[in-house]
Amino acid sequence: MERTRENGKTYESLFNYFSEQILAGNLKLNDKLPTEREIAEKHGISRNSVRETMHMLEIMGLIECVQGSGNYIRCDPMSYMLRSANMIMALMETDPSEIFYLRNGNEYAAVKLAISHATKEELENMRHVLLEMEQPMSAKASARLDVEFHHRLVAASHNRILILYNSMLNSLLDQFIENFRTRILMSKTRAEALRRSHWGIYEGVADRDLPAALKALDRHFQIVGEQIKKITQKS
């Protein structure tokens, strides 16, 4: 990279440089970065500009500052993505149902992959969650297990991007509609319908029966979607 004249946007140039190095594969996970002094000298900029860049990369979850050791390339962007997405959704005045439908598409893709990729251990873990949900418990505890079931379902896709975005979309829905899962499960009728749909999804994946799994997933999202619509209309 050519040495740049120091100005208020210098840190952006350095940020772009690191972005290009990551995208080109020259910087990989767990690589240690040069010291701030070395970076400043190489690019002809101040150490303050280097610190600004390092701080930005750290906030984004792309580097980790290890005290006494240095800066390392990492990959933990979830908190940054959630903050950014929340602000964007608020500015766009996004309807929570839009997030819900995006989550639907994400989970349909995950089920299709899970049919082929779910291991015996993953299937057993999903079954264990459903058996635990059969026990008497509060709506709040049941909602926690509901989240766990869907987390394990998407994890069985073995697609890291689907897993990442599913976690983000679930978190966004939780923040936009506070405790919406708990509210949905407070109705015994809905809770029972969701219980049957969860078992249907699991059995479809376990039997490698895609039409059955998708039919159960359709029913699940129909129930949840109706309640999200009612909740948001009241809001």
Side-chain angles (χ1 to χ4, degrees):
M1 180 180 176
E2 295 181 0
R3 294 166 70 90
T4 58
R5 183 177 300 173
E6 189 77 12
N7 57 55
K9 298 292 185 179
T10 301
Y11 74 92
E12 291 183 5
S13 297
L14 187 59
F15 176 85
N16 290 336
Y17 168 76
F18 281 119
S19 299
E20 291 165 3
Q21 291 298 298
I22 291 172
L23 291 172
N26 298 326
L27 285 175
K28 300 182 183 298
L29 196 62
N30 298 321
D31 280 355
K32 183 177 181 179
L33 295 177
T35 65
E36 290 181 359
R37 179 180 58 79
E38 291 170 335
I39 294 172
E41 290 179 354
K42 178 179 179 180
H43 297 284
I45 58 179
S46 71
R47 292 182 64 174
N48 282 338
S49 291
V50 176
R51 289 193 192 97
E52 285 185 58
T53 306
M54 295 298 105
H55 183 59
M56 186 186 301
L57 291 169
E58 187 174 19
I59 289 174
M60 294 179 68
L62 296 175
I63 71 167
E64 179 185 6
C65 179
V66 180
Q67 190 67 30
S69 180
N71 295 315
Y72 294 82
I73 297 293
R74 295 290 192 248
C75 184
D76 186 23
M78 180 57 72
S79 61
Y80 175 81
M81 289 173 63
L82 279 173
R83 286 197 303 271
S84 299
N86 271 321
M87 290 187 288
I88 291 169
M89 300 298 178
L91 290 171
M92 292 177 63
E93 298 182 355
T94 302
D95 189 314
S97 64
E98 295 179 272
I99 307 170
F100 169 72
Y101 286 114
L102 184 57
R103 180 197 160 203
N104 288 12
N106 191 79
E107 202 153 323
Y108 278 116
V111 166
K112 291 178 181 179
L113 289 171
I115 290 287
S116 302
H117 295 91
T119 65
K120 290 183 179 179
E121 181 180 1
E122 288 170 331
L123 290 170
E124 182 57 31
N125 287 336
M126 289 167 59
R127 179 174 174 273
H128 177 75
V129 173
L130 293 179
L131 288 174
E132 192 175 348
M133 290 175 74
E134 297 286 317
Q135 305 304 312
M137 64 182 68
S138 66
K140 185 175 182 180
S142 183
R144 178 184 60 80
L145 289 172
D146 183 291
V147 174
E148 178 67 15
F149 172 77
H150 286 275
H151 168 75
R152 291 187 180 277
L153 174 65
V154 176
S157 73
H158 293 217
N159 185 302
R160 292 175 296 174
I161 301 301
L162 286 178
I163 293 167
L164 174 66
Y165 274 88
N166 189 72
S167 296
M168 184 182 75
L169 292 170
N170 274 318
S171 296
L172 284 172
L173 274 176
D174 282 339
Q175 292 178 41
F176 268 75
I177 308 175
E178 186 176 5
N179 298 321
F180 89 95
R181 287 184 180 84
T182 302
R183 293 162 69 176
I184 289 172
L185 292 168
M186 286 177 69
S187 163
K188 291 184 178 180
T189 302
R190 287 196 298 269
E192 173 59 21
L194 285 174
R195 185 191 72 82
R196 291 197 301 268
S197 69
H198 284 144
W199 277 105
I201 295 166
Y202 161 73
E203 289 166 357
V205 174
D207 294 339
R208 313 298 178 182
D209 186 340
L210 181 59
L214 292 181
K215 182 178 180 180
L217 192 63
D218 273 335
R219 179 56 182 152
H220 175 276
F221 281 132
Q222 179 185 358
I223 298 165
V224 178
E226 288 171 354
Q227 296 310 307
I228 286 182
K229 185 176 180 180
K230 288 179 181 179
I231 291 170
T232 53
Q233 283 177 342
K234 289 181 181 178
S235 299

